[in-house]
Amino acid sequence: MGHHEASTTVDVAANILFDYVSDLDNLPDYLPRLAGIHRIAPRPDEAQGLEVRRPKEPVHEEVEVAATVPSGQTVHSEAWIDIVEENRSLRWGAPGDGDYHGELDVDFVADGTSRLTVRLDTEHGTVDAINSQLHEALESIKTKLEQETTPEA
């Protein structure tokens, strides 16, 4: 199994960055191969806020995703996503032969600046292609959020 990791600095506050990346509706905007995502179960009670779960307990979501594979074909698969607000961490995976899973972390750097790191473990694709997609996803997030939060002159 190949382990891949990429990071970037984003000139946006850590809480704003994490709110964006942890919103499931935004995932297709920044994950290059993800064509769509929808929940296959109601949102868990833990998703209502920190006061209804134990410290660092993840909000676990079961989802169905549509993704475009390298051949150009769209495939549908079940997956899971865990969101841990206190750690500003998003973890995901898909059942099956490839044991595909990953993690995205947002770290505070300074006021208005964050570090975004993505890790992916997969057997699918070449090292260069996967690393390119990780950098593409990070650049997409960075560009979108920095443009949205830059005050107009």
Side-chain angles (χ1 to χ4, degrees):
M1 167 145 325
H3 177 78
H4 309 272
E5 183 172 322
S7 295
T8 191
T9 301
V10 183
D11 291 329
V12 172
N15 63 317
I16 293 171
L17 177 56
F18 185 71
D19 285 348
Y20 176 76
V21 297
S22 65
D23 183 337
L24 299 187
D25 292 334
N26 292 332
L27 268 61
D29 293 342
Y30 66 83
L31 295 177
R33 294 190 178 215
L34 191 62
I37 183 170
H38 74 272
R39 290 177 176 87
I40 55 176
R43 291 197 76 200
D45 290 340
E46 293 82 15
Q48 301 308 309
L50 296 173
E51 63 278 358
V52 295
R53 63 181 176 271
R54 294 184 185 107
K56 299 189 180 183
E57 178 182 7
V59 174
H60 182 82
E61 301 254 18
E62 297 288 331
V63 296
E64 182 180 86
V65 296
T68 306
V69 295
S71 68
Q73 178 184 10
T74 299
V75 296
H76 297 267
S77 174
E78 289 187 7
W80 56 267
I81 297 175
D82 283 345
I83 300 168
V84 184
E85 282 184 67
E86 297 92 331
N87 293 356
R88 293 189 196 104
S89 178
L90 176 76
R91 298 183 300 246
W92 66 89
D97 299 333
D99 191 32
Y100 172 86
H101 60 278
E103 182 174 349
L104 191 148
D105 293 312
V106 175
D107 295 304
F108 173 84
V109 173
D111 286 346
T113 304
S114 308
R115 184 89 179 148
L116 179 61
T117 303
V118 63
R119 294 173 198 85
L120 183 65
D121 291 297
T122 183
E123 296 175 350
H124 304 289
T126 67
V127 171
D128 289 342
I130 293 168
N131 289 338
S132 175
Q133 290 169 7
L134 292 181
H135 287 287
E136 181 183 336
L138 291 174
E139 190 59 32
S140 173
I141 294 166
K142 176 180 174 71
T143 300
K144 178 176 178 48
L145 290 181
E146 287 180 351
Q147 287 176 352
E148 285 183 0
T149 59
T150 302
E152 295 295 322

